[in-house]
Amino acid sequence: MKPSIPKGTRDFSPTEVAKRTYIFNTIRATFEAFGFQPIETPSFENSSTLMGKYGEEGDRLIFKILNSGDYLKKVDATLLENKESNKVTSEISEKALRYDLTVPFARYVVQHQNEITFPFKRYQIQPVWRADRPQKGRFREFYQCDADVVGSTSLLQEVDFVQLYDAVFSKLGLEGTTIKINNRKILSGIAEVIGVKDKLIDFTVALDKLDKIGKEGVVTEMLSKGITEDAIDKVSPLFDVEGSNADKLAALANMLKDSEEGTNGVDELRFVCDTIANLGLQTATLEVDVTLARGLNYYTGAIFEVAAPKKVKMGSIGGGGRYDDLTGIFGLKDVSGIGISFGLDRIYLVLEELGLFEAVELPTPKVLFLNFDSANDIEKLKAVKALRENNIKSEIYPDLAMSNNQQKKQWKYANNRGVQYVISKIDNDCKFLLKDMTNGEQNSCTLTELINTVQ
RNA sequence: GUGAUUGUAGCUCAGCUGGUUAGAGCGCCGGAUUGUGGUUCCGGAGGUCGCCGGUUCGAAACCGGUCUUUCACCCCA
């Protein structure tokens, strides 16, 4: 049988793991610098926790886990007979792989509310799974790195998260990212003003595609969703909103002056933009983007999305927003949350494409003892033990060389693994023949000298 | 879910309009070198040409199906 792995999954080899670890560590350190603490939740949840939280499309993309045992036995025969997949699914599967980290977190908060001190700041770095069709930068198993705060409605949180994005991407050397920001209340206000409040989702989804399918494409899509030409005329100024964040906000304020909700949204956005403008960002740009709609139906206030530098063709490398009532679904009312997510796998692809992994080193042994004869074996083992106790990565080539070629193979092994120091021989008076592979210099030394040299 | 695309040695790929025993480079193993590498030379092993079926005297090549790869749409990190 030919070995293979499922569609949309990947193996990670040592160099890839080293690079991924570097990103993880950078994100983790920044999360902690901002005061977040880690939690972890199970890979799979009860289906009822996840289903219905991500919209119809989301439900389709959730990996369901088949019940154990004779799972068909209890299913209603007529459902099976009529091949009603959706209804049968809920009877034969009661667990599902997590689809993101936000909903499991909301569940966690409600379940552990008595142990939590609010505002609660948590971060979480774990894989998620989506039964999507893979393509560039899209996998069926990938990591999200989330930071969320629940229990505070302060807009300072929004400001904090913009800075957090900027801090992480700056540390990674990824310059020129764009943090797009919008506010759900603005979208809602626009829909209200033009009289399509009942079609908010269709409206925002269509608007979101402006930079992709253009003005005409958006109009066509809106018409097909039953939004009237009259209404579209009223929003058409949106299609051409240009200029600085302040200009855009002024234009929006004018358009939304009759909508209380819309005006609130503009005010919130203005506060965040002004504060960030005062604080300054290192490498990122904060950009008001009215067309940013990000599907997730639970966002109620700010919406974030991070775009990679323009020269890289890649979907968003981060996203997030404020949700006022996510925990409400699980029975805890009036707890506002806000959070952001980093898409590790896409960030990896972007850094790779831009050649920003130079500094990442593979954990490779520093000292290798060749195995050319079995004399003084115990001295060899003692030396390795001493080196390791001094935190020097060391190892002995396991197999004894029986021929010239096999010796050659050991030297080659040292090269291929990038070992810097090689010991080829130990004298009877415990002198080590030490060779520095970077310059070819070779000399004899005692164990103490050896440790000092390679340290 | 929709539309394209890919599939030949461990890896990267050749293989002209269907015609004998399917090739190269790298890697691997062995040797030249009584034994110090990364840049020598020689030899060797290794392939049901994704799978199933069809067309043909003859298929890696043409046709159909299926799986797989990659890309776009939908949606999303």
Side-chain angles (χ1 to χ4, degrees):
Chain A
M1 134 184 175
K2 210 173 183 177
S4 67
I5 54 175
K7 193 197 294 271
T9 64
R10 296 148 301 155
D11 287 326
F12 299 112
S13 298
T15 46
E16 295 166 302
V17 171
K19 293 172 181 176
R20 290 167 65 86
T21 303
Y22 158 71
I23 304 176
F24 281 134
N25 288 345
T26 303
I27 293 175
R28 185 178 296 117
T30 314
F31 281 168
E32 293 186 357
F34 276 69
F36 293 89
Q37 293 180 318
I39 70 160
E40 293 188 17
T41 63
S43 299
F44 52 95
E45 296 269 352
N46 294 325
S47 298
S48 55
T49 303
L50 305 180
M51 297 298 283
K53 307 298 191 297
Y54 310 101
E56 204 177 315
E57 183 73 8
D59 283 358
R60 188 171 68 83
L61 297 177
I62 292 173
F63 273 109
K64 287 97 184 167
I65 297 173
L66 207 51
N67 289 346
S68 308
D70 193 356
Y71 53 83
L72 278 182
K73 207 167 189 173
K74 292 174 266 178
V75 179
D76 188 323
T78 54
L79 292 181
L80 274 179
E81 185 68 27
N82 299 332
K83 301 192 174 175
E84 295 190 50
S85 303
N86 287 337
K87 288 179 185 166
V88 173
T89 299
S90 60
E91 301 215 10
I92 63 175
S93 161
E94 55 194 23
K95 298 177 290 298
L97 292 178
R98 72 169 160 249
Y99 176 89
D100 74 353
L101 301 178
T102 308
V103 169
F105 172 55
R107 192 224 80 220
Y108 170 95
V109 169
V110 177
Q111 209 172 320
H112 297 266
Q113 51 187 287
N114 294 329
E115 317 152 21
I116 290 173
T117 307
F118 293 96
F120 179 53
K121 302 176 72 169
R122 86 84 170 78
Y123 76 86
Q124 191 169 352
I125 299 177
Q126 289 190 279
V128 302
W129 295 269
R130 295 185 187 177
D132 219 348
R133 202 176 275 207
Q135 51 182 279
K136 189 178 182 187
R138 169 174 298 186
F139 309 98
R140 299 173 100 181
E141 177 183 61
F142 62 97
Y143 270 77
Q144 289 193 329
C145 312
D146 275 31
D148 287 76
V149 182
V150 290
S152 164
T153 54
S154 166
L155 288 173
L156 288 179
Q157 304 297 354
E158 274 82 340
V159 172
D160 238 16
F161 280 119
V162 172
Q163 294 185 93
L164 177 53
Y165 268 138
D166 179 53
V168 167
F169 292 123
S170 298
K171 275 190 200 167
L172 291 172
L174 184 58
E175 299 180 359
T177 55
T178 305
I179 304 167
K180 299 181 192 169
I181 183 170
N182 194 9
N183 195 299
R184 193 77 182 205
K185 293 173 188 170
I186 291 179
L187 293 168
S188 187
I190 294 169
E192 179 190 335
V193 168
I194 66 171
V196 295
K197 192 138 199 187
D198 55 323
K199 295 195 171 68
L200 179 62
I201 299 285
D202 287 337
F203 168 74
T204 53
V205 167
L207 188 61
D208 190 45
K209 294 178 190 165
L210 183 61
D211 60 340
K212 208 168 197 172
I213 60 179
K215 193 170 168 175
E216 286 174 26
V218 173
V219 172
T220 308
E221 173 150 344
M222 285 186 176
L223 285 172
S224 77
K225 296 289 183 185
I227 296 171
T228 63
E229 274 190 61
D230 194 37
I232 295 171
D233 278 348
K234 284 187 196 160
V235 278
S236 63
L238 275 186
F239 299 156
D240 304 309
V241 172
E242 297 271 325
S244 67
N245 288 342
D247 292 343
K248 290 178 187 171
L249 288 168
L252 283 171
N254 186 44
M255 175 183 270
L256 295 171
K257 58 181 182 286
D258 295 328
S259 160
E260 191 187 338
E261 188 178 15
T263 302
N264 276 341
V266 175
D267 289 345
E268 289 184 7
L269 207 45
R270 185 180 292 120
F271 174 82
V272 176
C273 288
D274 287 353
T275 311
I276 288 296
N278 266 318
L279 292 167
L281 295 176
Q282 298 173 64
T283 61
T285 308
L286 180 65
E287 181 185 308
V288 171
D289 183 350
V290 201
T291 68
L292 175 59
R294 282 297 92 179
L296 290 181
N297 2 34
Y298 47 68
Y299 291 140
T300 53
I303 311 170
F304 298 111
E305 179 172 309
V306 183
K310 292 186 182 64
K311 54 191 160 183
V312 185
K313 198 164 174 279
M314 179 63 66
S316 63
I317 55 177
R322 181 175 285 278
Y323 40 90
D324 279 334
D325 198 32
L326 195 55
T327 56
I329 312 162
F330 300 113
L332 182 61
K333 299 284 180 197
D334 298 323
V335 177
S336 183
I338 173 170
I340 60 171
S341 181
F342 290 83
L344 174 108
D345 302 82
R346 288 185 177 178
I347 292 171
Y348 180 103
L349 291 173
V350 171
L351 295 185
E352 188 74 274
E353 195 169 329
L354 296 177
L356 296 173
F357 277 127
E358 286 166 28
V360 179
E361 278 180 29
L362 207 55
T364 180
K366 190 148 193 195
V367 181
L368 174 71
F369 287 75
L370 299 185
N371 198 346
F372 288 177
D373 60 66
S374 48
N376 297 318
D377 262 358
I378 197 70
E379 297 308 325
K380 224 182 275 178
L381 289 164
K382 280 181 180 169
V384 169
K385 185 174 173 227
L387 285 164
R388 289 174 179 166
E389 280 168 0
N390 281 278
N391 280 321
I392 298 160
K393 302 187 197 81
S394 322
E395 64 180 44
I396 299 176
Y397 193 90
D399 301 303
L400 182 62
M402 305 299 283
S403 71
N404 183 21
N405 249 328
Q406 289 180 354
Q407 289 198 359
K408 227 171 184 165
K409 189 176 167 182
Q410 296 194 18
W411 286 105
K412 208 167 182 181
Y413 175 84
N415 276 323
N416 288 346
R417 297 209 57 197
V419 173
Q420 188 183 354
Y421 295 101
V422 172
I423 286 121
S424 54
K425 195 179 171 196
I426 304 177
D427 288 347
N428 285 330
D429 54 350
C430 291
K431 284 279 202 170
F432 296 83
L433 191 55
L434 174 68
K435 180 164 185 171
D436 183 339
M437 299 295 273
T438 53
N439 55 22
E441 279 173 24
Q442 184 166 266
N443 47 51
S444 201
C445 62
T446 65
L447 178 57
T448 317
E449 288 165 346
L450 169 66
I451 292 172
N452 288 335
T453 306
V454 303
Q455 207 148 30

